[in-house]
């Protein structure tokens, strides 16, 4: 069924055309709420118009008094010039905004008109308050590495420093060690949200940072001159909206964020460039009747990341009910050999019923038929690709939130050696990658905009067939891990039989959870049909639900058969109906909490921590610092908060979805969100 969409699109779409858009967009300094972003938005709107679409540039206030759901906005920022020049012990220019826009910490405040000359002080372990004991930082700049907001609070707000210098470079081993990009500088920004003690700052490369650190460690006075010509003021953000009209009020969204500093080619000029080329391709094919007529409008949104999507949806909440699905394009153009990346389909969270991922995965299978095997009987891809569970971190996390309820997978190339650095340049972008992603995106949007009843029957069958593999991927590793533990067990309290039985119990719980979610996913197909056509589809879905149940029962029987062969002494592996593990204090507390979110959309804490006292803010910071990899965990938990489920039940669901359980974190996180007014207890 997908071929009638995929074939004409694959023949028409141009990776080189998308590449030219990426080249142009990457020439703009596209900081959210800035003149450079506005210029890029104007270019994109003109490109949509040239492709035959009507385009609008929607504007929303960029002021500290503006809030879209829990997303607090910020002022517009512009910068004309900035330089950091070493004065003693030698004269040397360390950073120049005109040469490298990322060498300035974005949203830095202005210096006096002629700049400021001052001493630089090195602070190791700059997130630790004790590192400042005995230091006089008034009027000085500090050389640091770490969480800049935390360091700003300590160095600037508490100890009077006027500016920061950082050589921080995030690492993602084995793809990126800081010295793999030794001459690059990392994209760094201040996000002012009511802070009174503001400052300016510069970013050095790892190599340049090491040289300055050595100089500072020689116990000699190091002085520099800093000049920043910038402004913060009440302004606006822009969202570019362009559409290919359908015959109904319903829509399919193609979303890409347009923002980030110059050049930021893959992140995310690539997503925006692909969106423009997809628009041209679909408009041409629809006009020439090479694609079925569109029942739903295909709308393209180029946004400032997060804030633009929040503003667009929150400004008119009635839009949400008409949007049947979306796709988010974020970092899609990578040259995989250079960037060491993989093209990933990231699924929506399981809390939102969705048919979208399986559709996109099916299209990926078609796009991947690029070359023929030696025997001529199989075809396979010439690029790396994968399907991953929800992780978040981009605009799909807003639309796929169950309070918004728009099924939204993301296409992304990850990891990327040059992510958020000045080395994310046009030479890292591959027109062939752009072509593949454009084909995926256009086929996905066209299918959902024009799908016939038979198309949706095919999709329901695909979803049912793929469930078996998904179930195996989620559950089989649980038994393998348990078998390894059982083979090493020595105590009666933790005997091999008990270890295996606990694993079987967890597998039963996870498979039952996945079954409930997949049944809801299938039901979501009904939203793609008019009321009078849903009866026969409902009958089909009932039959497919029975097949899903049979798949789960078969999987449970299979793991028991395997378990008996792992450890014959386990016998029939009888599994208790309930977990006999006693609750600890955090599980008990979670069982008594019934949280509900105060706002639609994901929780954004920026600007809300001001509701905490200084001690409370520090306790919250320490909690989140201790659980640095907890972003997805807490977000998944918040998605399940509906004012009816206990937090313990939510922890169960997150464990089934994510594989991790940290009830203490969820209890403490939820309490902090309640203090900030972002969650209420029922």
């Amino acid at each position: 069924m997908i071929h009638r969409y995929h074939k004409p699109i694959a023949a028409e779409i141009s990776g080189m055309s998308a590449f030219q858009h990426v080249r142009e967009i990457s020439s703009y300094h596209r900081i959210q709420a800035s003149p450079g972003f506005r210029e890029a938005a104007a270019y994109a709107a003109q490109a949509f118009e040239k492709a035959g679409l009507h385009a609008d540039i929607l504007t929303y206030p960029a002021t500290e008094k503006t809030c879209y759901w829990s997303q607090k906005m910020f002022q517009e920022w512009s910068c004309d010039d900035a330089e950091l020049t070493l004065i003693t012990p030698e004269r040397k220019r360390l950073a120049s905004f005109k040469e490298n826009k990322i060498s300035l910490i974005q949203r830095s405040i202005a210096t006096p008109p002629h700049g400021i000359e001052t001493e630089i002080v090195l602070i190791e372990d700059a997130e630790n308050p004790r590192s400042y004991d005995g230091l006089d930082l008034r009027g000085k700049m500090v050389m640091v590495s770490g969480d800049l907001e935390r360091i700003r609070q300590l160095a600037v707000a508490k100890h009077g420093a006027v500016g920061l210098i950082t050589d921080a470079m995030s690492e993602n081993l084995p793809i990126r060690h800081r010295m793999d990009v030794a001459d690059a500088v990392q994209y760094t920004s201040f996000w002012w949200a009511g802070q009174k003690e503001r400052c300016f700052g510069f970013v050095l490369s790892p190599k340049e940072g090491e040289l300055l650190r050595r100089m500072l460690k020689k116990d000699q006075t190091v002085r520099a001159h800093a000049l920043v010509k910038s402004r913060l003021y009440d302004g606006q953000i822009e969202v570019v909206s362009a559409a290919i009209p359908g015959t109904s009020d319903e829509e399919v969204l193609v979303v890409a964020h347009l923002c980030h500093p110059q050049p930021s080619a893959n992140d995310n000029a690539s997503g925006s460039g692909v969106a423009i080329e997809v628009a041209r391709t679909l408009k041409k094919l629809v006009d020439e009747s090479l694609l079925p007529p569109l029942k739903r409008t295909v709308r393209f949104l180029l946004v400032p990341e997060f804030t633009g999507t929040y503003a667009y949806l929150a400004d008119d909440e009635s839009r949400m009910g008409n949007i049947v699905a979306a796709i988010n394009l974020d970092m899609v153009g990578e040259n995989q050999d250079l960037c060491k990346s993989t093209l990933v389909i990231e699924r929506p969270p399981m809390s939102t019923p969705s048919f979208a991922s399986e559709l996109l995965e099916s299209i990926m299978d078609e796009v991947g038929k690029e070359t023929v095997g030696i025997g001529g009987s199989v075809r396979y891809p010439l690029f790396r690709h994968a399907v991953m569970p929800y992780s978040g971190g981009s605009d799909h996390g807003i639309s796929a939130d169950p309070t918004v309820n728009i099924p939204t997978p993301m296409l992304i190339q990850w990891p990327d050696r040059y992510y958020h650095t000045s080395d994310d340049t046009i030479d890292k972008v591959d027109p062939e990658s752009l072509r593949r992603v454009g084909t995926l995106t256009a086929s996905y949007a066209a299918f959902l905009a024009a799908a016939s009843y038979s198309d949706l029957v095919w999709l329901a069958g695909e979803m049912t067939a793929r469930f078996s593999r998904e179930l195996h991927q989620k559950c089989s590793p649980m038994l393998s891990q348990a078998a390894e533990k059982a083979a090493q067990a020595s105590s009666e309290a933790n005997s091999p039989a008990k270890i295996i039985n606990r694993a079987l119990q967890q597998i039963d719980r996870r498979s039952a959870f996945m079954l409930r979610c997949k049944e809801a996913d299938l039901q979501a197909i009904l939203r793609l049909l008019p009321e009078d056509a849903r009866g026969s589809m409902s009958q089909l879905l009932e039959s497919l639900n029975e097949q899903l149940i049979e798949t789960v029962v078969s999987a449970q029987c299979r793991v028991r058969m395997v378990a008996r062969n792992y450890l014959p002494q386990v016998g029939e592996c009888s599994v208790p109906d309930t977990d006999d593990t006693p609750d600890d204090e955090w599980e008990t507390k979670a069982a008594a909490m019934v949280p509900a979110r105060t706002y639609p959309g994901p929780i954004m804490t920026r600007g809300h921590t001001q509701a905490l006292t200084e001690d409370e803010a520090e306790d919250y910071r320490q909690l989140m610092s201790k659980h640095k990899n907890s972003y997805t965990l807490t977000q998944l938990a918040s998605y399940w908060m509906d004012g009816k489920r206990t937090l313990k039940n939510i922890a169960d669901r997150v464990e089934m979805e994510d594989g991790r359980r940290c009830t203490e974190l969820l209890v403490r996180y939820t309490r902090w969100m309640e203090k900030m007014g972002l969650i209420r207890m029922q």
Side-chain angles (χ1 to χ4, degrees):
M1 289 295 179
I2 199 65
H3 295 285
R4 66 176 180 145
Y5 303 98
H6 170 256
K7 284 187 175 181
I9 287 169
E12 173 61 29
I13 202 153
S14 168
M16 186 53 67
S17 176
F19 183 83
Q20 295 301 333
H21 291 305
V22 176
R23 182 190 297 277
E24 185 66 28
I25 292 168
S26 65
S27 70
Y28 297 101
H29 188 51
R30 312 179 308 278
I31 295 299
Q32 293 198 15
S34 74
F37 184 94
R38 192 165 301 122
E39 292 168 0
Y43 166 80
Q46 185 180 38
F48 280 124
E49 292 279 357
K50 286 182 178 179
L53 286 73
H54 174 71
D56 294 304
I57 298 180
L58 311 176
T59 60
Y60 303 94
T63 74
E64 292 188 343
K65 295 180 180 179
T66 306
C67 194
Y68 293 106
W69 296 336
S70 65
Q71 171 67 67
K72 290 197 172 185
M73 297 296 290
F74 39 80
Q75 290 183 304
E76 184 169 328
W77 177 76
S78 65
C79 183
D80 295 325
D81 195 11
E83 277 194 355
L84 178 65
T85 304
L86 194 64
I87 302 298
T88 59
E90 61 181 82
R91 189 171 185 88
K92 179 182 181 182
R93 186 165 61 207
L94 297 177
S96 168
F97 182 74
K98 287 183 177 178
E99 293 178 2
N100 185 345
K101 297 293 191 292
I102 301 179
S103 65
L104 178 70
I105 298 179
Q106 308 302 304
R107 297 185 184 83
S108 285
I109 65 169
T111 62
H114 298 292
I116 181 173
E117 182 179 326
T118 187
E119 183 181 348
I120 302 175
V121 178
L122 174 64
I123 302 179
E124 304 283 16
D125 192 16
E127 296 180 38
N128 186 346
R130 294 181 180 178
S131 299
Y132 298 81
D133 291 348
L135 295 179
D136 180 9
L137 301 181
R138 288 173 294 180
K140 299 176 182 177
M141 287 185 283
V142 291
M143 175 73 182
V144 297
S145 183
D147 180 350
L148 280 189
E149 174 54 25
R150 167 66 170 171
I151 294 169
R152 184 203 62 81
Q153 292 171 1
L154 295 171
V156 178
K158 284 194 172 183
H159 294 278
V162 294
L164 308 179
I165 304 171
T166 178
D167 60 348
M169 178 63 69
S170 61
E171 295 185 331
N172 186 1
L173 300 177
I175 300 301
R176 182 166 93 190
H177 181 275
R178 60 185 276 110
M179 298 313 291
D180 289 331
V181 284
D183 294 312
V185 296
Q186 181 164 290
Y187 167 31
T188 311
S189 183
F190 295 120
W191 292 91
W192 305 121
Q195 297 96 327
K196 295 179 180 178
E197 300 84 2
R198 301 183 180 185
C199 64
F200 60 86
F202 291 89
V203 189
L204 305 184
S205 68
K207 183 186 292 184
E208 199 68 62
E210 285 299 315
L211 294 174
L212 181 58
R213 285 174 181 273
R214 290 177 196 171
M215 197 177 292
L216 291 165
K217 289 177 181 178
K218 289 181 179 179
D219 293 328
Q220 57 185 342
T221 300
V222 177
R223 297 183 66 82
H225 180 268
L227 173 69
V228 180
K229 296 181 179 180
S230 66
R231 286 197 309 136
L232 283 163
Y233 49 93
D234 287 351
Q236 64 187 35
I237 63 168
E238 292 79 26
V239 170
V240 182
S241 173
I244 304 173
T247 57
S248 74
D249 293 333
E250 293 182 329
E251 294 188 348
V252 178
L253 290 188
V254 177
V255 181
H257 72 79
L258 184 62
C259 59
H260 284 5
Q262 184 191 71
S264 296
N266 274 317
D267 187 16
N268 186 37
S270 66
S272 299
V274 166
I276 295 170
E277 173 58 13
V278 166
R280 183 201 68 80
T281 298
L282 291 182
K283 181 70 167 65
K284 183 175 187 292
L285 294 177
V286 168
D287 287 351
E288 295 177 358
S289 299
L290 295 174
L291 285 175
L294 302 186
K295 302 173 185 176
R296 300 176 180 88
T297 293
V298 179
R299 184 171 301 280
F300 300 86
L301 291 181
L302 303 187
V303 299
E305 191 174 20
F306 292 114
T307 54
T309 302
Y310 271 107
Y312 181 80
L313 294 173
D315 185 63
D316 184 357
E317 294 185 5
S318 66
R319 288 171 169 150
M320 297 187 295
N322 291 332
I323 303 170
V324 299
I327 185 169
N328 181 34
L329 307 179
D330 192 346
M331 298 176 59
V332 295
E334 276 75 352
N335 179 316
Q336 292 192 340
D337 292 334
L338 291 175
C339 299
K340 312 302 180 186
S341 59
T342 296
L343 178 58
V344 174
I345 295 174
E346 184 176 305
R347 292 170 171 162
M350 296 176 74
S351 50
T352 298
S354 172
F355 43 76
S357 178
E358 286 93 343
L359 172 59
L360 198 56
E361 291 168 38
S362 298
I363 300 170
M364 179 75 88
D365 290 345
E366 290 301 314
V367 171
K369 294 177 180 178
E370 294 185 324
T371 191
V372 182
I374 293 176
S377 59
V378 295
R379 301 185 70 87
Y380 54 86
L382 296 173
F383 62 100
R384 293 186 294 272
H385 65 92
V387 178
M388 301 298 292
Y390 179 81
S391 180
S394 189
D395 293 272
H396 63 302
I398 305 170
S399 50
D401 185 311
T403 63
V404 180
N405 196 30
I406 300 172
T408 312
M410 174 173 68
L411 284 173
I412 188 170
Q413 298 255 16
W414 190 257
D416 184 330
R417 173 171 283 184
Y418 308 103
Y419 166 71
H420 274 198
T421 76
S422 55
D423 278 354
D424 180 8
T425 47
I426 191 67
D427 58 298
K428 312 302 191 311
V429 181
D430 176 21
E432 186 61 16
S433 280
L434 298 172
R435 184 197 63 79
R436 291 186 187 110
V437 173
T439 304
L440 274 165
T441 304
S443 301
Y444 172 91
F447 181 99
L448 291 172
S452 65
Y453 182 86
S454 58
D455 288 332
L456 299 179
V457 169
W458 168 84
L459 178 57
E462 280 288 295
M463 294 170 66
T464 306
R466 289 174 182 271
F467 177 68
S468 178
R469 182 174 61 183
E470 183 182 348
L471 190 66
H472 174 76
Q473 290 173 339
K474 286 279 191 178
C475 295
S476 289
M478 298 169 67
L479 182 60
S480 299
Q481 293 166 11
E484 291 176 3
K485 291 180 181 179
Q488 300 171 4
S490 57
S491 67
E492 185 175 340
N494 199 30
S495 66
K498 288 184 177 180
I499 292 172
I500 294 295
N501 279 338
R502 281 197 295 267
L504 293 176
Q505 184 183 63
Q506 284 292 95
I507 289 170
D508 284 354
R509 291 176 61 218
R510 175 168 280 186
S511 58
F513 169 77
M514 292 176 66
L515 173 63
R516 291 193 299 272
C517 290
K518 192 55 60 180
E519 289 173 340
D521 290 344
L522 281 173
Q523 289 298 312
I525 291 178
L526 294 176
R527 71 191 292 181
L528 300 174
L529 287 167
E531 291 283 351
D532 58 2
R534 293 181 180 179
S536 55
M537 178 63 75
S538 294
Q539 294 178 3
L540 170 64
L541 297 182
E542 287 180 11
S543 298
L544 293 177
N545 283 340
E546 293 177 4
Q547 288 194 14
L548 294 178
I549 295 171
E550 292 175 4
T551 298
V552 169
V553 171
S554 175
Q556 290 173 337
C557 290
R558 183 174 63 251
V559 296
R560 280 161 173 74
M561 184 185 305
V562 172
R564 285 196 296 272
N565 282 275
Y566 271 138
L567 292 166
Q569 66 268 37
V570 171
E572 292 301 312
C573 299
S574 61
V575 181
D577 293 331
T578 58
D579 189 350
D580 59 359
T581 305
D583 284 347
D584 63 16
E585 63 168 311
W586 297 106
E587 296 289 338
T588 301
K589 290 175 181 177
M593 299 169 68
V594 182
R597 284 185 282 164
T598 308
Y599 300 96
I603 292 173
M604 296 294 283
T605 59
R606 183 181 296 130
H608 294 280
T609 54
Q610 294 175 349
L612 306 178
T613 67
E614 186 175 336
D615 289 342
E616 288 174 338
E618 176 60 17
D619 287 345
Y620 171 67
R621 187 198 70 81
Q622 290 186 9
L623 172 68
M624 302 315 291
S625 178
K626 178 182 176 182
H627 299 277
K628 289 184 178 179
N629 298 319
S630 65
Y631 171 81
T632 301
L633 196 71
T634 54
Q635 188 174 48
L636 290 175
S638 71
Y639 283 166
W640 290 108
M641 294 178 184
D642 61 355
K644 299 176 183 178
R645 300 183 180 96
T646 68
L647 189 57
K648 182 177 181 180
N649 179 268
I650 291 167
D652 290 341
R653 290 169 183 258
V654 172
E655 183 181 14
M656 295 302 100
E657 182 172 2
D658 181 79
R660 295 177 290 173
R661 188 181 191 94
C662 189
T663 309
E664 177 186 353
L665 168 64
L666 296 185
V667 169
R668 296 179 66 191
Y669 171 83
T670 301
R671 286 175 173 172
W672 286 124
M673 296 304 104
E674 184 182 20
K675 280 184 175 289
M676 294 183 211
L678 299 172
I679 284 175
R680 67 178 184 274
M681 292 298 170
Q682 300 295 80

